Amino acid sequence: MAVPLGAAALLAGAERYLGRIGRDITALAAATATAVLAAIALNDSTHRPIVYWFGDWLPERGTVIGVDYVVDPMGGGLALLAALLSFGALVYSQRFFSGTGGRYPALVLVFLGASIDFAWTGDLFNLFVAFELVAVVGFILTGYYASEEAPLQGAINFAVTNTVGGLILLMAVTILYGRTGTLNLAQMGQQLAGHRPDGLVAVALAMLGAGFLVKAAVVPWHFWLPDAYGTAPAPTCVMFAGVLSELGLFGLARVWETVFSGVVTGPAEQHIRLVFGALGILTALVGTVMAMVESYGRRILGFVVVAHMGLYLLGFAVLRTVSLGGVALLAAGDGFTKAALFLAVGVLRRRRNETGGRPLRGSGGRVGVAVGVVAFGALALADLPPFASSVGKDIVVSGAGSAAALIEVIFVITSVGTGGAILASAARVWRGDSSGENSPAEEQAESGGTPVAVLLLVPAVLLLACGLALGLLPDIAGRAVRAAAMFSDRRNYVASVIDGRMASAGPRLKAPGVSITSLLGDGAEAVGAVAFAALLLSAKRLQGALGAATVLLRKLHSGHVADQVTWSLAGLATLAGLLGVAFR
């Protein structure tokens, strides 16, 4: 964490002395070094968590005073993902902007440092602080084109809604601190384990859930995301789509496994599965439907992010270790793919603006590469084998038990619907059916560099390749399940943090193997996405019917920040009521 934050301070403080080349080298070197260190930490945490106490404030007689880092394969993988995506965003930014000074790369590196802090910390208050630092930087980056109305509105919606979520999260931290007398996740779980959950625990879980789900953009806390993703610069959306939303779900999973899994058992746990599962299904379906009827390319991708967050939450709601491993692999593969899509769409938008709205076919090989990235990215999100998304989805379904059939259906609907929506949008731009999308501010900001520079394409291609390579790694399914087993083993987590040793090893879980049936099913989803895209392009009656059927849903996405805050508070009240019933 010190590497990106130190480099950010250097870039901001010595901006006038470094020059553009010096700034670029410093930022890229910092991101590269962070990725290497994160990879080393990930490798070292494979067999047991790495526990580090700041200032050497070790627990004394079972009492925690200091602040710790706990690095396990799940947190280590998230940190590495953040570093790789930040590197791609910095490379892309060199040609995307005509000039940013040292402030933009400094903000990217602060975002990276805060993301790593969030992924590794074992302290609940530090978890809140890291999340708010990520949100503050995200707000600033969203408003990069704040001289225009739409980016300004997107930034304000982002800031206000996420501030409400942060306040809810902070109140939950306060309640749990008052209840347990500690902020350390391991000791907090130890204090609550074995006791009957009371109303205070139910309220704390509801508030933590709502706070994290605001960041994850789960329905009904999702309204800010399309506004922000639709107006932020393309390289900023790389980090948003691949890291920011995933942090919210990671935080929910972390506090559940370390704090609440030992106190919420039996019927209460079954009710919580139903609550989070219903939220996941609702989010997946709302995001899919809105992606189908949206016409603006970047907002389509925003709703795709929402839909896939619903899938991740649905997989988590199973509360089974195998499915959690599948969710982790699915989120990582999708993170690379969604990042590549945002970068490729940025290239197409620039070229679209330069051609004055003419068709992009025949515009050259570089534009063709960008269209190819969009097409393959859409198919990857539709679970095309052997992308990591396909492997992760199969693990989630295989570990879902009696809920497998329902989860399979939701995955198929979401994958086909969102993949088809992306393919149809790309086809319209390719043949010149839609107008240019850049605002005047973006046109001025993107005026530097060649029309479609190679540096705009290389990160998109490499990120998509990372999603493919991840799915081809030997025993990747087994690694994902083992990482989830370590992540969800509360007993070993407590022993590692408080006692400085590992407890006895838990049962070794076997990852499900890849079957011909699952491969054929995933391939059929990709084919279904292509067929659905063709249907959206050719059947005008279908488009009209979708538009008429979703009038109310589209009105709810008004973009008014007061509406979004109201929905956030209503969602909190509903979640608290449902969890209160579960704990009775």
Side-chain angles (χ1 to χ4, degrees), residues 283-293 303 307 413-418 421:
T283 303
L285 296 180
V286 168
T288 300
V289 171
M290 287 301 299
M292 293 178 187
V293 299
F303 283 115
I413 293 173
T414 303
S415 300
V416 172
T418 56

Side-chain angles (χ1 to χ4, degrees), residues 30-93:
T32 302
T34 304
V36 171
L37 292 172
I40 293 173
L42 171 61
N43 181 69
D44 290 347
S45 68
T46 302
H47 300 293
R48 61 171 296 166
I50 303 172
V51 181
Y52 173 80
W53 291 95
F54 286 89
D56 204 26
W57 284 82
L58 299 175
E60 184 69 24
R61 298 178 182 178
T63 300
V64 176
I65 300 176
V67 176
D68 65 323
Y69 270 176
V70 182
V71 185
D72 56 29
M74 293 274 278
L78 182 57
L80 179 58
L81 175 66
L84 293 174
L85 294 184
S86 297
F87 178 84
L90 288 169
V91 172
Y92 189 90
S93 302

Side-chain angles (χ1 to χ4, degrees), residues 483-494:
M486 185 184 296
F487 182 85
S488 59
D489 191 340
R490 189 184 61 83
R491 185 180 59 171
N492 274 330
Y493 184 91
V494 171

Side-chain angles (χ1 to χ4, degrees), residues 239-291:
M239 299 174 294
F240 285 3
V243 180
L244 178 61
S245 299
E246 281 75 1
L247 287 178
L249 189 58
F250 178 88
L252 177 61
R254 172 63 81 189
V255 298
W256 170 263
E257 298 294 352
T258 57
V259 177
F260 293 101
S261 63
V263 65
V264 182
T265 57
E269 183 179 356
Q270 297 299 325
H271 281 88
I272 289 174
R273 288 182 181 180
L274 292 175
V275 170
F276 285 123
L279 286 175
I281 292 173
L282 182 62
T283 303
L285 296 180
V286 168
T288 300
V289 171
M290 287 301 299

Side-chain angles (χ1 to χ4, degrees), residues 422-506:
I422 296 171
L423 289 172
S425 177
R428 293 188 188 103
V429 175
W430 180 252
R431 67 190 192 186
D433 291 348
S434 58
S435 59
E437 296 174 337
N438 282 9
S439 67
E442 289 175 295
E443 293 170 17
Q444 182 178 1
E446 298 174 14
S447 59
T450 57
V452 181
V454 173
L455 281 180
L456 291 178
L457 291 172
V458 170
V461 173
L462 290 180
L463 289 173
L464 186 62
C466 285
L468 176 60
L470 182 62
L472 293 173
L473 284 178
D475 192 32
I476 186 59
R479 297 183 187 186
V481 172
R482 289 191 291 272
M486 185 184 296
F487 182 85
S488 59
D489 191 340
R490 189 184 61 83
R491 185 180 59 171
N492 274 330
Y493 184 91
V494 171
S496 298
V497 172
I498 297 180
D499 302 330
R501 60 176 178 80
M502 286 283 286
S504 59

Side-chain angles (χ1 to χ4, degrees), residues 137-162:
V137 175
F139 158 62
I140 298 171
L141 293 175
T142 300
Y144 186 85
Y145 298 124
S147 59
E148 293 295 304
E149 181 180 355
L152 180 60
Q153 179 181 345
I156 291 175
N157 291 353
F158 184 118
V160 173
T161 307
N162 280 268

Side-chain angles (χ1 to χ4, degrees), residues 124 172-182 188 192 204 208 259-260:
L124 186 59
V173 173
T174 306
I175 291 172
L176 284 173
Y177 178 64
R179 179 70 167 76
T180 62
T182 182
M188 192 175 288
L192 294 176
L208 281 172
V259 177
F260 293 101

